[in-house]
Amino acid sequence: MKKDTLLSVSELKTYFFMESGAVPSVHGVSFEVKQGETVAIVGESGCGKSVTSLSIMGLVSSPGKIVGGDIRFHGQDLTTISEKEYRKLRGNDLSMIFQEPLTSLNPLFTIGSQLDEVILLHQQVTKEEARQKGIEMLKKVGIPRAEQVYRSYPHQLSGGMRQRVMIAMALACEPKLLIADEPTTALDVTIQAQILQLMRKLVKDNNTAIMLITHDLGVVAEMADTVIVMYAGQVVEQADVFTLFAAPAHPYTQGLLASTPKIQTIEEELQSIEGTVPTQETMPKGCRFFPRCPHASEQCVQNQPSLLKIGGGQLVRCWLFDAKEAASG
Amino acid sequence: MASYIFKRLGEMIPVLLIISFIVFALVFVAGNPVALMLPEDASQEDIDQLTASLGLDQPFLVQYGKYLFHLVQGEFGESFRYNTSALPLVLERLPATLELAVAALVLAVTMAIPLGIWSATKQNSPVDLLAAGGSVIGKAMPNFWLGIMLILIFSVMLGWFPVSGRGTLGHLVLPALTLATGLAAEITRLLRSSMIEILNQDYIRTARSKGMREGMVVYKHAFRNSLIPLVTVVALQTSTVVGGTLITETVFSWPGLGQLLIQAVHTRDMAIVQACVFVIAVLVIFMNLVADVLYRLLDPRIKYE
Ligand SMILES: Nc1ncnc2c1ncn2[C@@H]1O[C@H](COP(=O)(O)OP(=O)(O)O)[C@@H](O)[C@H]1O
Ligand code: SF4
Ligand SMILES: [Mg+2]
């Protein structure tokens, strides 16, 4: 399997320009996704995971705007390409599944017509060929009676089935990168497992890279090669999945894991980390985590730490490591 | 679908019965029209005689029963002014009114759809602000005033269109525009707000994530969804339009139902009043039925019953 870099996000800044002022939802996020790799992004609600995904898709809508950084996909900077070039990528090499399976399909069109749409947009095929391909995709994502579902309307399907349809749509043009924004959060547990298994199988077949956004550390352990931990619009730690679970470096990551004896979701366990994510008004000027951090020092209050390599490809944004580096170096 | 329409048509019967009762009761309350039918120097005897011969001295329910009996045969009684049966007179006027109402509806919808969509997709742009201002003014202008203004400007001053009457397409322009203005304002406002709401839906984001052109996203995915509230508002506005024809037809001497009705009210030609009101009611009910059928065609989530 080739391990070339597929996506490289650097210093991405996406702000929402509200009446009360600019809200920096994504504030200098950098990471890479290699071909065929699964990168998990974890973090509490509101830390900027969805906005990061939408920024990559070029679908941040007003009042949101990418104000800095670049997003390289196959070496091409997506923040500078034309809307027309972007449209050629969306749904094709670059596709996305959303958190809301119940509302992500248009209620007035059949599953088939919504599925064919993406195929017809990106492939030189006749309507009949698109139909064949659509039904084949429905079969691939494990939908029984695919021909019948093809003719159904979204309201006639369960949430799990609709999410399978979304996956079929996202994978119909064999994307290089699939962004899955909490694809199973809205589904019940048994369905979740099925959907994840399905995604894993399908991407293995095509060497598709996945950017998997999730709340569920169990899912991370099972699916991810690399894990990115986000906090308040920034990446605070990045490591391969084994390192992250064995030797979490950032106090926030440690907090997440320490209180996770079994598979649990971040929302549940966060109650054990005191406090809440800072808002725009309460954003600390130093380390964004310091109000909740057991190791906070004067330095943390005053200055923002930067994201540093601490060996083995692990990256951490924390003065504890900056200090060590300084001491040892 | 056919059975659904059939069922809904069946449901119209009790509604029509209620309407017939109300129409009859209103006329009954309005008093004895006999005095107006006879010369001013008619004796009380003559009046009593005519009253009796018309059956107007009988109890209310008996009169209503007779009225209903005739009504199911399409008989509303004779117009004493025209000395013929009322219903054919009314039906003769119906095409003119329908022509005006349909022209106004089509005009309103063709103005409102692009304006509403444009306002929604380019919020706070000059077009949006202009449409918003225009809507307020359009709704605020009463039909009779607007009609007179249009006549003054486009017929009297500029001489572009005839002042009144019916015949050519030119005759239709000003009355249709008069009726359409308020309607267009209402539809534009509704379409703008429903499009804004729909464009924020998750399925619109999905459509965009497929790489679809924004124009296609707006027209195929968003506008299609906004047709449902659009049909509602147009159906609700039908009665307003029909009401508006009363005034507009009078202002433009448009030989339709509205003009006939107003004249009949003035002359207490009750057979015609009843027939007019009844026909108008049937029209409004029918439009509601059309709207209901359209919903079912537009929205697969609604089941036929
Ligand atoms: N449409 C929007 N308008 C204004 N602010 C938004 C919008 N979408 C997201 N945000 C802001 O961006 C922050 C990050 O949101 P999001 O990326 O959705 O978080 P999550 O990590 O839960 O996916 C939120 O706290 C919110 O303040
Ligand atoms: S920089 Fe300081 S406050 Fe922030 S996580 Fe590290 S130790 Fe805690
Ligand atoms: Mg999210």
Side-chain angles (χ1 to χ4, degrees):
Chain A
M1 212 192 290
K2 270 196 3 211
K3 284 282 178 183
D4 290 344
T5 300
L6 176 66
L7 174 78
S8 141
V9 175
S10 73
E11 286 303 311
L12 177 68
K13 290 192 173 75
T14 305
Y15 292 4
F16 282 85
F17 294 90
M18 315 299 284
E19 268 163 34
S20 53
V23 178
S25 299
V26 173
H27 197 76
V29 164
S30 306
F31 64 91
E32 282 190 356
V33 180
K34 296 194 173 65
Q35 277 176 10
E37 183 189 32
T38 298
V39 172
I41 300 187
V42 297
E44 279 162 280
S45 273
C47 71
K49 305 181 299 291
S50 296
V51 174
T52 303
S53 316
L54 291 171
S55 300
I56 296 168
M57 291 295 291
L59 291 176
V60 178
S61 51
S62 173
K65 197 174 180 329
I66 296 177
V67 294
D70 55 43
I71 301 166
R72 295 193 171 274
F73 183 69
H74 275 309
Q76 188 182 27
D77 186 359
L78 301 184
T79 59
T80 59
I81 65 174
S82 70
E83 180 56 26
K84 195 175 167 199
E85 288 173 290
Y86 227 137
R87 283 201 305 266
K88 282 192 197 139
L89 291 175
R90 285 188 205 119
N92 198 9
D93 283 352
L94 188 58
S95 65
M96 182 159 174
I97 309 169
F98 302 94
Q99 186 177 347
E100 304 83 5
L102 293 180
T103 50
S104 289
L105 290 163
N106 193 325
L108 303 189
F109 296 99
T110 60
I111 299 300
S113 86
Q114 299 188 58
L115 193 50
D116 291 355
E117 213 168 52
V118 71
I119 297 169
L120 289 167
L121 273 168
H122 298 294
Q123 296 175 13
Q124 304 296 323
V125 294
T126 63
K127 282 206 162 156
E128 177 54 27
E129 285 164 340
R131 197 182 73 88
Q132 298 287 343
K133 169 104 198 188
I135 292 175
E136 183 196 320
M137 284 310 298
L138 289 178
K139 286 182 178 154
K140 253 194 190 162
V141 296
I143 289 179
R145 283 169 291 132
E147 279 90 358
Q148 190 189 332
V149 168
Y150 182 88
R151 288 190 305 270
S152 307
Y153 288 94
H155 73 275
Q156 295 167 315
L157 306 181
S158 68
M161 280 297 153
R162 285 188 232 182
Q163 197 62 308
R164 281 174 196 262
V165 170
M166 288 297 293
I167 294 175
M169 253 161 52
L171 296 181
C173 296
E174 291 163 16
K176 302 274 192 309
L177 175 66
L178 172 67
I179 301 175
D181 188 356
E182 309 196 29
T184 58
T185 304
L187 305 173
D188 68 50
V189 184
T190 46
I191 312 287
Q192 282 186 18
Q194 291 170 11
I195 298 272
L196 289 169
Q197 200 184 2
L198 174 73
M199 280 176 49
R200 201 159 43 185
K201 177 183 165 298
L202 292 176
V203 298
K204 216 176 228 156
D205 295 348
N206 286 320
N207 197 26
T208 302
I210 308 184
M211 202 178 119
L212 176 68
I213 291 165
T214 179
H215 270 137
D216 191 329
L217 292 172
V219 171
V220 174
E222 214 170 304
M223 303 269 301
D225 301 310
T226 303
V227 186
I228 289 164
V229 182
M230 280 183 71
Y231 187 80
Q234 294 181 323
V235 174
V236 293
E237 177 159 8
Q238 175 177 341
D240 69 77
V241 67
F242 303 107
T243 311
L244 191 101
F245 280 92
H250 196 280
Y252 177 62
T253 318
Q254 288 168 357
L256 294 183
L257 293 172
S259 49
T260 314
K262 291 183 231 71
I263 294 175
Q264 227 175 19
T265 72
I266 290 174
E267 292 307 321
E268 285 166 45
E269 92 225 1
L270 267 172
Q271 282 139 19
S272 63
I273 306 178
E274 294 267 312
T276 52
V277 187
T279 62
Q280 181 52 15
E281 288 76 37
T282 61
M283 193 63 76
K285 102 168 181 251
C287 171
R288 297 187 165 195
F289 188 56
F290 96 77
R292 303 167 74 182
C293 182
H295 309 291
S297 64
E298 188 52 33
Q299 190 180 23
C300 308
V301 180
Q302 293 306 327
N303 302 304
Q304 251 200 51
S306 46
L307 196 62
L308 284 183
K309 274 206 178 72
I310 58 164
Q314 193 170 11
L315 300 174
V316 182
R317 187 189 292 279
C318 173
W319 283 120
L320 292 176
F321 296 89
D322 227 0
K324 270 185 212 157
E325 293 282 292
S328 64
Chain B
M1 184 55 105
S3 73
Y4 172 76
I5 296 175
F6 219 70
K7 184 176 154 238
R8 285 299 311 265
L9 283 172
E11 284 169 9
M12 279 173 74
I13 293 169
V15 179
L16 291 176
L17 265 177
I18 293 168
I19 291 167
S20 74
F21 183 80
I22 293 171
V23 169
F24 182 79
L26 283 176
V27 171
F28 189 85
V29 169
N32 192 341
V34 167
L36 279 171
M37 297 177 187
L38 293 169
E40 270 178 47
D41 56 356
S43 67
Q44 185 60 39
E45 207 170 294
D46 291 338
I47 292 178
D48 289 346
Q49 204 178 354
L50 186 57
T51 305
S53 79
L54 289 173
L56 294 176
D57 56 346
Q58 286 168 332
F60 175 78
L61 280 179
V62 174
Q63 285 193 42
Y64 176 61
K66 280 188 178 167
Y67 162 80
L68 211 55
F69 177 73
H70 288 127
L71 188 114
V72 290
Q73 300 163 25
E75 187 55 65
F76 285 83
E78 288 221 336
S79 156
F80 62 81
R81 190 154 169 264
Y82 296 91
N83 283 321
T84 64
S85 184
L87 189 62
L89 265 178
V90 170
L91 292 180
E92 193 184 303
R93 296 293 193 102
L94 188 59
T97 295
L98 284 182
E99 176 185 311
L100 181 56
V102 169
L105 268 176
V106 169
L107 195 61
V109 169
T110 41
M111 287 196 286
I113 286 178
L115 265 181
I117 293 177
W118 199 344
S119 308
T121 50
K122 299 210 166 40
Q123 279 176 59
N124 299 322
S125 68
V127 172
D128 181 25
L129 298 176
L130 220 68
S135 291
V136 172
I137 297 170
K139 268 205 74 66
M141 282 187 298
N143 276 345
F144 75 89
W145 184 83
L146 177 62
I148 291 168
M149 285 300 138
L150 289 176
I151 291 176
L152 278 179
I153 296 170
F154 294 102
S155 305
V156 177
M157 282 166 58
L158 297 170
W160 291 356
F161 301 105
V163 175
S164 66
R166 176 181 179 227
T168 65
L169 199 62
H171 284 95
L172 185 58
V173 173
L174 294 185
L177 195 60
T178 305
L179 259 182
T181 306
L183 192 62
E186 190 68 30
I187 300 175
T188 305
R189 250 184 17 165
L190 169 106
L191 193 58
R192 178 184 188 272
S193 63
S194 68
M195 282 293 285
I196 287 173
E197 195 191 317
I198 289 165
L199 284 168
N200 278 316
Q201 297 292 314
D202 293 335
Y203 55 79
I204 296 297
R205 188 184 55 192
T206 304
R208 290 185 177 131
S209 79
K210 290 176 182 175
M212 188 175 275
R213 282 199 344 265
E214 185 63 17
M216 275 293 275
V217 172
V218 169
Y219 285 95
K220 183 171 174 193
H221 285 270
F223 180 60
R224 180 71 202 274
N225 274 277
S226 75
L227 280 179
I228 296 164
L230 189 75
V231 165
T232 314
V233 77
V234 171
L236 284 176
Q237 292 292 315
T238 312
S239 43
T240 315
V241 174
V242 171
T245 57
L246 298 191
I247 314 258
T248 310
E249 287 182 4
T250 307
V251 171
F252 288 92
S253 306
W254 187 264
L257 220 56
Q259 200 194 29
L260 181 70
L261 176 57
I262 296 228
Q263 283 166 0
V265 168
H266 282 309
T267 55
R268 289 227 207 162
D269 197 342
M270 287 315 170
I272 292 205
V273 172
Q274 288 173 330
C276 276
V277 172
F278 202 79
V279 166
I280 289 172
V282 171
L283 257 178
V284 171
I285 297 174
F286 180 74
M287 276 305 292
N288 282 322
L289 173 64
V290 170
D292 266 1
V293 170
L294 279 179
Y295 286 143
R296 280 166 172 71
L297 292 176
L298 288 171
D299 191 343
R301 287 165 295 187
I302 304 177
K303 292 210 180 67
Y304 312 112
E305 266 148 43

